[in-house]
C-alpha cells in the first residue's frame, strides 16, 4: 500500500530528467526516485538547520528566512502529496488513529489558518530566536502526554513571533499582537507556555527521527532510510553547542517524546558530523 | 580592427589607501579583509562629479572627479577622495538584546540646489541627511578678537577695520542635518528621493514610508504588507524606487519575483498596486529553488522612465512599464550556476543580493557576479561581456580583458571553470556615471573605477 504511493510518479522534478520518469516501474526508476527522496530530505534538514541557527548578535535577515521557510513548505507539501511525510511519521512511531490521519491530510490540502488548528509551517519565533532562544528549546523539548497526531507541520510557534516589535513608540498594535500571542500560550507548567504548539512542533521535527529509526513493519521504509547517516543531524547540535550550553536540537526531539518525561537536554554524543558523508550527499544532489 | 570600445582601468583606491595596501601586502597570503572596510553601497550624484561609497563600518567616503587637464589627456577625470565621515555608529536595541549594525545599506544624493551637496545615508533602522559643503575662504581682521580667536583688550583697539575674506586651503565640511529615526521595525533595504526634491521614501522588509526631507518626527506609511498573523508571512519587500520624473509613481519588488507599480494619487495607503509585473514560472525549470532564485534583489527605473531593470539570482530583466505579463528582455548573468543551486543554497550564496545599473543612455546594463566578475549587456547589439575587477588582472590604465567562464565543453586558454570560481569574491554593488561611460565597481573592500576609451585612441 505504501510502496505505490511513495514511489508514484510525480511532476517533473529538478533532480531527475524527463527521460527517466518513464522508467518508473523498473528497478532503475525505483532507485532514482528513492535517491530523489533522499535529496529532498537532505534539503529539508538543511533548511531547518538554517532556520535554527540564528545569529547571536544581529537580527537575522527576514528575507532569507522567509525564503527558507517557503522552501520548507514546498518540500512538506510535496512530501505530503506523495505520502512520504505521512509515511515517515509512521516510521517514527508516533501513535496515530486513522481518523487523525484523515484530518491531517485534509488540513494539509487546505492551508487555511484556523484558531485552534495547527498552522502551515512558518518560521515563527525564529526571528525572535535570539532573545527567545531558551524558550525555543523548551518548545522543542517539551512534550505533552497525548501526542497529538494532526500531521500538519506547524508553526514552531514559540511565543512572540517575528520579533520586530521592539519599537514601542511606533507600533502599538504590534505590541498588542505580541501580548496576544503570549496570552494564548500561557499555561501552568514550565513549558506550558508552549504546550499548545509543542504538539505541532513535534510533528515538524518528527521527521528527523531518522536518527533512531524505529523498526517498522514496512521493509521499503527501512531500506529507504537504512543508509542515511544520522551523524549529519548532529551538525546542528555541534554548531549551536559552540555558542552556548548544549541544547537539544530538533533531532533529539523524539528521544524525549518516547520518554514522555522531562526532556533530556544533553546534546547528542558525536561531536562532528562526518563531512565526507555530507559531501557524498551533496554530490548526489549536485549531480557532478 | 573591431571598433569595440575597451575599458581602461583608472585604479583609484580611495581613502586610507596606504592602510589598505598595508593590509594587503602584510597578509597577502591569507587574503584578509577588515570587515569594516567592506563596501556596502556605491552611488554617483546626478552630475557624476561626486561618487559616494558606504561601508560596513558605517563610514561614507566621497570621491570627487578632478577636472580634465589639457596637458595630460589621459589624466582626465580621475576620482580622488573628497571627504570621509562616520555616518552611522553601531547601536544596541535593549528591548530585543540585538545589535543594530552600522553598515550603510544605501546612499542617495539629493539633486543639487545650491553650493552644498546633500545625501541620504541609511543603515538598517535610521536614515540621515548629510550636508557636504566647501569652505575655501575665511574671514580675517576681526576687531574684537585676534588671529588666534582670543578676545582683544578693548583698550588696545585704536582703529576699526572691515574683516576681509582670505583664501584658505579647501576644507570639506560634512554635517548631519536630519536624523530620521524610529520609523522602521524591519531592516531598511532602500531609499529613494522623489523627483519633487521634497520627499523621499524608505522601504524595509514589510513597509514603505514616505518622508518630507524637512520633517523628522513624522512619516507616512504608504505600503504595508505585514500580514495580520505573522505566521502567514510568505513574501517581503526587497527594493523600492521612485519614478525619475513622475512624482506620484513608485515601484517595489518582492521576494517572490513580482514588481508592483503604485500611484500615490490613488489612495493614501498604496497596498493596491496600479500595475503588477510578474512573469509566469517556467514549469520545465521548476525546482525547490525556483522561488529563491526568482526573488528580485534590485530594481531600477531607466533614465527615460519607460523601463524597469530587475536583478534576480541568475538573470537581469528589462520590463516595459506598458507590459505587465513578462519582461521584454532577459539576460543570463551566470546560468552555469543553475546546476549548482543546492551548494549555493547550502553556503548561503543563493541569498546574495546583486545590484544592477543602467548606463546614461539606457542602452547598456550592468550587474555583478562572483569571482570579482561583472557583466555588461548591450541592449542594442545583444552582445555581452564579462570583465574582472581585481588588482592582479588590471594595472592602472590597462585595458580590461574579457573573461569567460566555461561550464564544461570546450575550454579555451584563460577560461575559468565553474568549479574554480571564488564565491567569496562577489560584486554586489556597481554604479554607472549618469552621463559618461565611467563605472564604479565595489569588490569587497576595494573600489574600482573604470573609464571607457574608444578603441581608436589606443596604440
Amino acid at each position: 500500500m505504501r510502496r505505490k504511493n511513495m514511489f508514484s510518479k510525480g511532476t517533473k522534478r529538478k533532480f531527475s530528467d524527463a527521460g527517466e520518469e518513464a522508467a518508473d516501474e523498473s528497478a532503475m526508476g525505483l532507485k532514482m526516485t528513492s535517491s530523489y527522496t533522499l535529496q529532498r530530505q537532505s534539503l529539508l534538514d538543511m533548511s531547518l538547520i538554517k532556520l535554527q541557527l540564528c545569529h547571536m548578535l544581529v537580527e537575522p535577515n527576514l528575507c532569507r528566512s522567509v525564503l527558507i521557510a517557503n522552501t520548507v513548505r514546498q518540500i512538506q507539501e510535496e512530501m505530503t502529496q506523495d505520502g512520504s511525510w505521512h509515511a515517515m511519521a509512521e516510521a517514527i512511531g508516533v501513535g496515530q488513529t486513522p481518523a487523525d490521519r484523515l484530518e491531517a491530510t485534509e488540513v494539509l490540502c487546505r492551508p487555511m489558518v484556523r484558531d485552534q488548528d495547527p498552522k502551515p509551517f512558518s518560521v515563527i519565533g525564529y526571528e525572535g530566536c535570539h532573545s527567545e532562544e531558551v524558550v525555543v528549546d523548551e518548545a522543542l523539548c517539551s512534550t505533552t502526554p497525548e501526542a497529538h497526531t494532526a500531521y500538519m507541520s506547524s508553526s514552531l510557534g514559540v511565543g512572540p513571533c517575528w520579533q520586530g516589535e521592539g519599537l514601542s513608540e511606533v507600533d502599538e498594535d504590534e505590541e498588542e499582537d505580541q501580548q496576544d500571542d503570549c496570552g494564548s500560550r500561557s499555561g501552568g507548567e514550565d513549558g506550558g507556555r508552549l504546550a499548545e504548539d509543542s504538539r505541532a512542533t513535534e510533528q515538524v521535527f518528527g521527521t528527523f527521527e531518522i536518527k533512531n529509526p524505529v523498526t517498522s513493519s514496512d521493509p521499503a521504509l527501512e531500506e529507504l532510510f537504512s543508509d542515511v547517516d544520522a551523524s549529519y543531524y548532529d551538525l546542528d547540535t555541534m554548531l549551536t553547542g559552540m555558542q552556548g550550553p548544549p541544547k537539544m536540537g530538533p533531532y533529539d526531539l523524539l528521544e524525549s517524546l518516547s520518554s514522555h518525561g522531562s526532556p533530556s537536554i544533553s546534546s547528542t554524543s558525536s561531536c562532528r558530523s562526518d563531512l565526507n558523508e555530507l559531501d557524498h550527499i551533496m554530490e548526489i544532489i549536485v549531480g557532478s | 580592427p573591431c571598433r569595440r570600445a575597451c575599458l581602461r582601468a583608472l585604479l583609484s583606491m580611495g581613502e586610507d589607501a596606504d592602510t589598505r595596501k598595508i593590509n594587503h601586502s602584510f597578509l597577502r597570503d591569507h587574503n584578509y579583509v577588515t570587515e569594516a572596510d567592506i563596501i556596502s553601497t556605491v552611488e554617483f550624484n546626478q552630475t557624476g562629479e561626486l561618487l559616494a561609497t558606504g561601508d560596513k563600518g558605517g563610514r561614507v567616503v566621497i570621491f570627487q572627479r578632478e577636472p580634465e587637464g589639457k596637458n595630460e589627456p589621459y589624466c582626465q577625470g580621475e576620482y580622488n577622495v573628497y571627504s570621509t565621515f562616520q555616518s552611522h555608529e553601531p547601536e544596541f536595541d535593549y528591548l530585543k538584546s540585538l545589535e543594530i549594525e552600522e553598515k550603510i545599506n544605501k546612499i542617495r544624493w539629493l539633486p543639487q540646489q545650491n553650493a552644498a551637496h546633500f545625501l541620504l545615508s541609511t543603515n538598517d533602522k535610521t536614515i540621515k541627511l548629510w550636508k557636504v559643503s566647501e569652505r575655501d575662504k575665511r574671514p580675517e581682521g576681526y576687531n574684537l578678537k585676534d588671529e588666534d580667536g582670543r578676545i582683544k583688550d578693548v583698550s588696545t583697539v585704536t582703529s576699526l577695520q572691515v574683516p576681509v575674506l582670505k583664501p584658505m586651503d579647501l576644507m570639506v565640511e560634512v554635517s548631519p542635518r536630519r536624523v530620521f529615526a524610529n520609523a522602521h521595525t524591519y531592516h531598511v533595504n532602500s531609499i529613494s528621493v522623489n523627483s519633487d526634491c521634497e520627499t523621499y521614501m524608505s522601504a524595509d522588509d514589510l513597509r514603505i514610508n514616505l518622508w518630507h526631507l524637512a520633517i523628522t518626527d513624522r512619516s507616512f506609511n504608504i505600503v504595508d504588507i505585514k500580514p495580520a498573523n505573522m505566521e502567514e508571512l510568505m513574501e517581503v519587500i526587497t527594493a523600492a524606487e521612485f519614478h525619475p520624473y513622475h512624482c506620484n509613481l513608485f515601484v517595489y519588488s518582492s521576494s517572490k519575483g513580482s514588481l508592483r507599480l503604485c500611484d500615490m494619487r490613488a489612495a493614501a495607503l498604496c497596498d493596491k498596486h496600479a500595475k503588477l509585473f510578474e512573469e509566469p514560472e517556467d514549469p520545465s525549470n521548476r525546482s525547490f529553488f525556483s522561488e529563491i532564485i526568482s526573488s528580485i534583489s534590485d530594481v531600477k527605473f531607466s533614465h527615460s522612465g519607460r523601463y524597469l531593470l530587475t536583478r534576480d539570482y541568475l538573470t537581469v530583466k528589462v520590463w516595459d512599464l506598458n507590459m505587465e505579463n513578462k519582461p521584454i528582455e532577459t539576460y543570463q548573468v551566470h546560468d552555469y550556476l543553475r546546476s549548482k543551486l543546492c551548494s549555493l543554497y547550502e553556503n548561503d550564496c543563493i541569498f546574495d543580493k546583486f545590484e544592477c545599473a543602467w548606463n546614461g543612455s539606457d542602452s547598456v546594463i550592468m550587474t555583478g557576479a562572483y569571482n570579482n566578475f561583472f557583466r555588461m549587456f548591450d541592449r542594442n547589439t545583444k552582445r555581452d561581456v564579462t570583465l574582472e575587477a581585481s588588482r592582479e588582472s588590471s594595472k592602472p590604465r590597462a585595458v580590461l580583458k574579457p573573461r569567460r567562464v566555461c561550464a564544461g565543453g570546450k575550454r579555451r586558454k584563460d577560461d575559468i571553470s565553474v568549479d574554480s570560481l571564488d564565491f567569496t569574491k562577489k560584486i554586489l554593488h556597481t554604479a554607472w556615471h549618469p552621463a559618461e561611460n565611467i563605472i564604479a565597481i565595489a569588490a569587497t573592500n576595494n573600489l574600482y573605477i573604470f573609464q571607457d576609451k574608444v578603441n581608436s585612441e589606443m596604440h
Side-chain angles (χ1 to χ4, degrees), chain A residues 12-15 36 40 43 46-47 50 55-64 66-68 70-71 73-75 78 113 119-122 124 127 130-131 155 161-167 169-171 174-175 177 185 278 282 285-286, chain B residues 92-93 95-101 124-125 182-187 205-207 226-238 255-256 283-284 286-292 295 338-343 345-348 351 353:
Chain A
K12 274 198 185 177
R13 306 233 163 109
K14 170 185 156 57
F15 302 118
Y36 169 80
R40 184 177 60 186
L43 186 61
M46 197 197 316
S47 303
K50 282 180 182 299
H55 296 283
M56 297 299 288
L57 284 175
V58 187
E59 267 180 290
N61 182 333
L62 189 63
C63 181
R64 173 181 175 273
V66 167
L67 290 172
I68 297 173
N70 290 349
T71 307
R73 259 191 217 105
Q74 281 177 59
I75 298 174
E78 194 183 271
V113 177
K119 295 154 187 137
F121 179 79
S122 73
I124 236 180
E127 196 194 60
H130 174 79
S131 49
S155 63
C161 341
W162 291 114
Q163 285 275 24
E165 282 89 67
L167 305 171
E169 306 115 313
V170 180
D171 287 306
E174 280 169 31
E175 285 202 351
D177 288 346
R185 288 172 170 82
L278 181 55
M282 281 301 134
I285 293 172
V286 173
Chain B
F92 196 76
D93 181 339
L95 199 64
K96 291 188 271 184
S97 297
L98 290 174
E99 214 178 78
I100 299 171
E101 281 190 319
D124 283 337
K125 299 284 184 182
N182 296 330
H184 285 283
T185 308
Y186 303 98
H187 291 177
D205 294 312
L206 298 179
R207 299 194 177 98
K226 178 173 188 257
N229 186 351
M230 278 298 271
E231 295 170 19
E232 293 163 23
L233 179 64
M234 307 244 252
E235 190 173 8
V236 300
I237 297 170
T238 52
S255 55
K256 287 214 173 204
S284 65
R286 178 112 182 75
S287 76
F288 288 123
F289 305 111
S290 295
E291 185 185 319
I292 299 178
S295 172
R338 201 176 283 271
S339 56
K340 310 274 179 198
L341 290 179
C342 196
S343 307
Y345 178 75
E346 204 217 352
N347 63 16
D348 266 13
F351 302 108
K353 292 197 189 314

Side-chain angles (χ1 to χ4, degrees), chain B residues 8-52:
Chain B
R8 278 216 186 141
L10 298 175
L11 203 61
S12 172
M13 297 310 298
E15 72 100 15
D16 286 341
D18 289 335
T19 330
R20 287 181 187 160
K21 276 177 195 161
I22 289 169
N23 275 342
H24 270 268
S25 56
F26 180 71
L27 295 156
R28 190 179 312 171
D29 294 325
H30 303 279
N31 203 23
Y32 176 75
V33 169
T34 312
E35 192 155 330
D37 291 338
I38 295 174
I39 298 171
S40 50
T41 184
V42 185
E43 183 80 357
F44 282 99
N45 75 337
Q46 279 76 6
T47 61
E49 183 209 350
L50 298 175
L51 173 68

Side-chain angles (χ1 to χ4, degrees), chain B residues 190-367:
Chain B
S190 313
I191 48 176
S192 178
V193 184
N194 198 330
S195 51
D196 66 8
C197 300
E198 283 187 0
T199 57
Y200 77 95
M201 69 155 127
S202 55
D204 67 28
D205 294 312
L206 298 179
R207 299 194 177 98
I208 302 181
N209 294 331
L210 182 70
W211 302 83
H212 191 284
L213 283 165
I215 300 171
T216 59
D217 61 354
R218 231 176 313 154
S219 72
F220 291 100
N221 177 245
I222 54 176
V223 174
D224 188 339
I225 65 167
K226 178 173 188 257
N229 186 351
M230 278 298 271
E231 295 170 19
E232 293 163 23
L233 179 64
M234 307 244 252
E235 190 173 8
V236 300
I237 297 170
T238 52
E241 193 179 62
F242 269 118
H243 191 280
Y245 52 84
H246 292 308
C247 57
N248 56 300
L249 291 179
F250 66 92
V251 71
Y252 70 91
S253 60
S254 84
S255 55
K256 287 214 173 204
S258 64
L259 284 172
R260 286 174 173 78
L261 184 74
C262 299
D263 189 335
M264 294 197 294
R265 297 170 301 187
L269 190 61
C270 300
D271 275 0
K272 287 198 176 137
H273 50 263
K275 290 198 178 185
L276 172 64
F277 298 85
E278 207 169 22
E279 186 173 24
E281 195 174 19
D282 177 7
S284 65
N285 255 341
R286 178 112 182 75
S287 76
F288 288 123
F289 305 111
S290 295
E291 185 185 319
I292 299 178
I293 63 171
S294 75
S295 172
I296 294 176
S297 51
D298 193 20
V299 64
K300 294 268 172 39
F301 273 100
S302 65
H303 292 91
S304 63
R306 164 93 187 258
Y307 302 104
L308 284 165
L309 179 66
T310 59
R311 174 70 154 98
D312 51 60
Y313 192 62
L314 297 179
T315 71
V316 279
K317 295 177 177 163
V318 178
W319 303 76
D320 186 326
L321 279 186
N322 302 318
M323 186 159 79
E324 296 164 69
N325 61 338
K326 61 176 180 186
I328 56 170
E329 292 154 34
T330 301
Y331 301 95
Q332 301 295 331
V333 180
H334 38 203
D335 201 52
Y336 45 77
L337 295 184
R338 201 176 283 271
S339 56
K340 310 274 179 198
L341 290 179
C342 196
S343 307
L344 295 165
Y345 178 75
E346 204 217 352
N347 63 16
D348 266 13
C349 281
I350 207 175
F351 302 108
D352 286 337
K353 292 197 189 314
F354 292 93
E355 291 172 11
C356 53
W358 296 91
N359 75 337
S361 58
D362 298 337
S363 59
V364 183
I365 55 189
M366 169 173 70
T367 189

